Amino acid sequence: MSILIKGGTVVSATGAVAADVLVDGEAIAAVAAPGTLSVVDEVIDATGKYVLPGGIDVHTHMEMPFGGTFAADTFETGTVAAAFGGTTTIVDFAVQAKGTSLLGTLDKWHEKADGNCAIDYGFHMIVSDVNDTTLKEMDACIANGVTSFKMFMAYPGVFYATDGEILLAMQQAARNGSTIMMHAENGIAIDQLVAQAIGRGDTAPLYHGLTRPPELEGEATSRAIQLAKVTGAPLYIVHLSAAQALAAVTEARDAGQNVFAETCPQYLFLTLEDLARPEFEGAKYVCSPPLRPAEHGAALWRGLRTNDLSVVSTDHCPFCFKGQKELGIGDFAKIPNGMPGVEHRMDLLHQGVLRGEITVTRWVEIASTTPARMFGLYPRKGVIAAGSDADIVIYDPAAIQTLSAATHHMNVDYSAYEGWEITGRVDVTLSRGRVVVSGGVLHGSPGHGKFLPRDLNQYLV
Ligand code: URP
Ligand code: ZN
Ligand code: ZN
């Protein structure tokens, strides 16, 4: 099956040009001047539209066990929602439970995902139990295409790792070339603030934000950077939300250290005020790190422009308001942490383009090309070029849409952006040459997505 996408503007990390794209089977066969390609089975008219490499969301949590419940999107519902929003690859987190093996965990996550994804997918591994066996298993994970490991300085008693354990895992990563992804918040200090707040009777969702101050994200980020420096491990700070943490990353990058960071749309578009919404509505916005006062968002946009922030992922970890977020009525510490977002990352970042925060090429770079390089998927993914997978999004930059739980495809009963009218919308999503979404209709199927064994971080020299 061959498809010609004609008349559009092909956007890459380096430019935007009028060009036609020929898809042959699962791959891109050619990118050429308008009108120069022919002989095809199907033509898609992209006049007036952007032709983008499919979005790559390197931070999702489908079906994640967390906070006494499970994230509400399955691999099926979450990847379908991703496709509607122009994301054609996710990298999700396999979660090692304490006392279990990394390879056993990987098998379990394959059981959940294989045959159920509408788009291609890979895994990172969450390491919550550091010991001689699991350190060796990190090498085996890499051999199985899982080349990045997330650790937590937050959540004592759950995923938390001590500085000593982090040091050991980083030493292993320095030896095997993998990347350590860090949830950088000082969980030990935060737990004291949380206990004090609950003791005072300050139990509303807002106190989730007030007990996780930005200084404690900045402190943990600096500590992770120093541990990475001592060990020589590549470090990627996940879901960075605070100006203090960004300053630490900037300093390390200026000094030439292999330190990278991502932020997420919720930290760019939402604020601490959302956590203060009445009637327990603030619970919809509980995630960690928490939403911050607006000035942090301004710093994050700046960081995206200067490349001190290299990636925007979603940290998609949806919990329904009814029955899940409600677990924390009367005690904010029991609200499952996480927000839905996999469907709207491309659209929200497009608002950043329209507002002049980033250019259209930077949009593609932070949402597709850099994630592909950072997590060993380039040039199979992240670029429209001959030989690459035909993961392509035809995006209408002038369409108007209203975000709502009534119309989104994520399996969650609220939208964090309910009623927002935004400009731009996915018209067509192709995954490996197959039209999976067109004109708001699903054509794909859950079994289409393939597991992606990944190479090491391609930014390392
Ligand atoms: O609140 C969040 N971020 N939930 C998902 C788990 C994590 O820490 O990434
Ligand atoms: Zn995290
Ligand atoms: Zn996460």
Side-chain angles (χ1 to χ4, degrees):
M1 170 84 171
S2 56
I3 302 176
L4 179 65
I5 301 168
K6 71 171 181 91
T9 301
V10 175
V11 186
S12 72
T14 52
V17 290
D20 292 349
V21 179
L22 181 62
V23 172
D24 189 12
E26 296 200 341
I28 295 167
V31 183
T36 59
L37 296 168
S38 57
V39 194
V40 289
D41 299 319
E42 188 183 334
V43 174
I44 301 177
D45 184 2
T47 304
K49 304 194 177 132
Y50 292 138
V51 181
L52 313 171
I56 300 177
D57 189 345
V58 294
H59 191 149
T60 66
H61 300 281
M62 306 305 173
E63 310 179 28
M64 186 197 191
F66 196 37
T69 183
F70 286 83
D73 263 316
T74 61
F75 279 92
E76 177 175 339
T77 61
T79 55
V80 165
F84 272 101
T87 287
T88 52
T89 299
I90 60 164
V91 187
D92 202 271
F93 288 85
V95 186
Q96 181 205 20
K98 285 214 193 291
T100 66
S101 76
L102 297 187
L103 290 177
T105 302
L106 192 53
D107 286 344
K108 270 196 195 158
W109 253 259
H110 274 296
E111 275 169 35
K112 291 174 198 254
D114 294 359
N116 292 320
C117 291
I119 55 170
D120 291 351
Y121 59 97
F123 294 130
H124 314 283
M125 178 62 66
I126 287 178
V127 182
S128 62
D129 197 347
V130 176
N131 55 53
D132 288 347
T133 309
T134 52
L135 288 170
K136 285 200 195 86
E137 280 189 300
M138 286 171 70
D139 297 2
C141 284
I142 295 169
N144 283 285
V146 175
T147 57
S148 38
F149 300 89
K150 183 176 176 189
M151 303 191 79
F152 288 79
M153 302 168 106
Y155 307 135
V158 188
F159 299 129
Y160 174 81
T162 64
D163 287 355
E165 289 165 340
I166 291 169
L167 180 108
L168 291 174
M170 283 184 169
Q171 284 175 333
Q172 193 72 5
R175 279 191 284 270
N176 63 31
S178 61
T179 295
I180 296 292
M181 307 171 79
M182 190 59 73
H183 181 132
E185 287 186 293
N186 184 329
I188 299 289
I190 286 168
D191 270 12
Q192 296 300 330
L193 296 176
V194 169
Q196 288 167 3
I198 299 289
R200 283 195 308 270
D202 291 334
T203 60
L206 175 63
Y207 292 95
H208 171 78
L210 297 179
T211 54
R212 307 181 87 91
E215 290 77 7
L216 294 185
E217 187 184 341
E219 182 277 328
T221 303
S222 302
R223 186 155 36 97
I225 288 169
Q226 295 310 323
L227 291 167
K229 189 171 181 189
V230 167
T231 56
L235 176 66
Y236 178 93
I237 304 290
V238 291
H239 47 46
L240 188 150
S241 73
Q244 290 87 337
L246 178 58
V249 167
T250 303
E251 188 183 331
R253 289 176 63 80
D254 287 350
Q257 199 178 332
N258 275 323
V259 171
F260 311 92
E262 65 174 20
T263 191
C264 311
Q266 54 269 34
Y267 302 119
L268 296 165
F269 290 96
L270 303 171
T271 70
L272 187 66
E273 285 180 21
D274 290 297
L275 273 171
R277 290 185 187 215
E279 310 288 336
F280 198 62
E281 287 276 305
K284 295 177 176 175
Y285 300 89
V286 166
C287 58
S288 294
L291 302 181
R292 304 291 186 193
E295 62 268 22
H296 292 270
L300 299 180
W301 280 117
R302 200 165 54 244
L304 284 171
R305 288 191 291 276
T306 59
N307 202 37
D308 292 309
L309 293 171
S310 316
V311 170
V312 175
S313 67
T314 59
D315 193 11
H316 175 76
C317 192
F319 297 102
C320 287
F321 185 65
K322 292 271 163 225
Q324 291 193 298
K325 291 287 186 179
E326 283 178 347
L327 292 169
I329 292 176
D331 181 352
F332 68 84
K334 295 200 171 76
I335 301 170
N337 283 205
M339 286 178 55
V342 75
E343 191 166 346
H344 298 309
R345 183 182 62 124
M346 301 298 283
D347 286 329
L348 288 166
L349 287 176
H350 185 244
Q351 309 317 296
V353 175
L354 297 174
R355 292 182 197 174
E357 296 282 7
I358 51 172
T359 62
V360 74
T361 55
R362 185 66 179 150
W363 176 39
V364 166
E365 191 170 28
I366 60 183
S368 179
T369 310
T370 299
R373 287 198 160 124
M374 193 73 71
F375 293 101
L377 292 169
Y378 188 89
R380 179 171 175 192
K381 306 290 189 189
V383 64
I384 294 185
S388 294
D389 281 358
D391 287 5
I392 299 173
V393 172
I394 300 170
Y395 194 85
D396 182 348
I400 306 288
Q401 60 167 320
T402 303
L403 304 183
S404 172
T407 48
H408 72 203
H409 302 85
M410 298 176 286
N411 186 35
V412 60
D413 62 0
Y414 75 94
S415 170
Y417 307 95
E418 186 64 42
W420 283 31
E421 190 178 89
I422 63 169
T423 304
R425 173 175 218 146
V426 170
D427 199 12
V428 181
T429 302
L430 288 102
S431 165
R432 271 183 289 103
R434 175 159 173 199
V435 173
V436 289
V437 170
S438 176
V441 177
L442 181 68
H443 298 279
S445 54
H448 169 79
K450 282 190 185 157
F451 173 69
L452 297 167
R454 295 181 294 108
D455 293 331
L456 299 175
N457 186 331
Q458 293 164 319
Y459 284 102
L460 306 178
V461 283

PDB file of all heavy atoms in Angstrom, residues 59 61 93 150 239 315, ligand 3:
ATOM      1  N   HIS A  59       6.973   9.536  28.614  1.00  0.00           N
ATOM      2  CA  HIS A  59       6.651   9.421  30.047  1.00  0.00           C
ATOM      3  C   HIS A  59       5.153   9.187  30.205  1.00  0.00           C
ATOM      4  O   HIS A  59       4.366  10.128  30.335  1.00  0.00           O
ATOM      5  CB  HIS A  59       7.092  10.690  30.783  1.00  0.00           C
ATOM      6  CG  HIS A  59       7.057  10.559  32.279  1.00  0.00           C
ATOM      7  ND1 HIS A  59       7.931  11.241  33.115  1.00  0.00           N
ATOM      8  CD2 HIS A  59       6.255   9.855  33.107  1.00  0.00           C
ATOM      9  CE1 HIS A  59       7.673  10.951  34.371  1.00  0.00           C
ATOM     10  NE2 HIS A  59       6.648  10.116  34.395  1.00  0.00           N
ATOM     11  N   HIS A  61       2.147   6.326  32.090  1.00  0.00           N
ATOM     12  CA  HIS A  61       1.918   5.268  33.095  1.00  0.00           C
ATOM     13  C   HIS A  61       0.565   4.626  32.833  1.00  0.00           C
ATOM     14  O   HIS A  61      -0.424   4.947  33.488  1.00  0.00           O
ATOM     15  CB  HIS A  61       1.907   5.854  34.507  1.00  0.00           C
ATOM     16  CG  HIS A  61       3.155   6.553  34.936  1.00  0.00           C
ATOM     17  ND1 HIS A  61       4.281   5.885  35.365  1.00  0.00           N
ATOM     18  CD2 HIS A  61       3.462   7.877  35.022  1.00  0.00           C
ATOM     19  CE1 HIS A  61       5.221   6.764  35.704  1.00  0.00           C
ATOM     20  NE2 HIS A  61       4.753   7.985  35.491  1.00  0.00           N
ATOM     21  N   PHE A  93       6.377   3.065  31.720  1.00  0.00           N
ATOM     22  CA  PHE A  93       7.252   2.609  32.802  1.00  0.00           C
ATOM     23  C   PHE A  93       6.804   1.251  33.336  1.00  0.00           C
ATOM     24  O   PHE A  93       5.689   1.129  33.873  1.00  0.00           O
ATOM     25  CB  PHE A  93       7.235   3.610  33.960  1.00  0.00           C
ATOM     26  CG  PHE A  93       7.958   4.892  33.636  1.00  0.00           C
ATOM     27  CD1 PHE A  93       7.303   5.926  32.980  1.00  0.00           C
ATOM     28  CD2 PHE A  93       9.294   5.065  33.971  1.00  0.00           C
ATOM     29  CE1 PHE A  93       7.963   7.105  32.670  1.00  0.00           C
ATOM     30  CE2 PHE A  93       9.962   6.231  33.664  1.00  0.00           C
ATOM     31  CZ  PHE A  93       9.298   7.260  33.005  1.00  0.00           C
ATOM     32  N   LYS A 150      14.212   4.487  35.882  1.00  0.00           N
ATOM     33  CA  LYS A 150      13.750   5.598  36.709  1.00  0.00           C
ATOM     34  C   LYS A 150      13.921   5.259  38.183  1.00  0.00           C
ATOM     35  O   LYS A 150      13.622   4.151  38.618  1.00  0.00           O
ATOM     36  CB  LYS A 150      12.269   5.912  36.428  1.00  0.00           C
ATOM     37  CG  LYS A 150      11.783   7.130  37.237  1.00  0.00           C
ATOM     38  CD  LYS A 150      10.350   7.549  36.934  1.00  0.00           C
ATOM     39  CE  LYS A 150       9.941   8.698  37.864  1.00  0.00           C
ATOM     40  NZ  LYS A 150       8.514   9.041  37.807  1.00  0.00           N
ATOM     41  N   HIS A 239       9.740  15.139  34.690  1.00  0.00           N
ATOM     42  CA  HIS A 239       8.677  16.079  35.094  1.00  0.00           C
ATOM     43  C   HIS A 239       9.185  17.248  35.950  1.00  0.00           C
ATOM     44  O   HIS A 239       8.688  17.493  37.040  1.00  0.00           O
ATOM     45  CB  HIS A 239       7.505  15.364  35.761  1.00  0.00           C
ATOM     46  CG  HIS A 239       7.852  14.338  36.825  1.00  0.00           C
ATOM     47  ND1 HIS A 239       8.759  14.565  37.816  1.00  0.00           N
ATOM     48  CD2 HIS A 239       7.356  13.087  37.040  1.00  0.00           C
ATOM     49  CE1 HIS A 239       8.823  13.498  38.597  1.00  0.00           C
ATOM     50  NE2 HIS A 239       7.986  12.594  38.147  1.00  0.00           N
ATOM     51  N   ASP A 315       3.775  12.618  31.485  1.00  0.00           N
ATOM     52  CA  ASP A 315       3.593  11.975  32.795  1.00  0.00           C
ATOM     53  C   ASP A 315       2.129  11.547  32.935  1.00  0.00           C
ATOM     54  O   ASP A 315       1.539  11.660  34.020  1.00  0.00           O
ATOM     55  CB  ASP A 315       4.022  12.907  33.929  1.00  0.00           C
ATOM     56  CG  ASP A 315       4.144  12.181  35.258  1.00  0.00           C
ATOM     57  OD1 ASP A 315       4.098  10.940  35.267  1.00  0.00           O
ATOM     58  OD2 ASP A 315       4.280  12.868  36.294  1.00  0.00           O
TER      59      ASP A 315
HETATM   60 ZN    ZN B   3       5.607   9.685  35.969  1.00  0.00          ZN
END
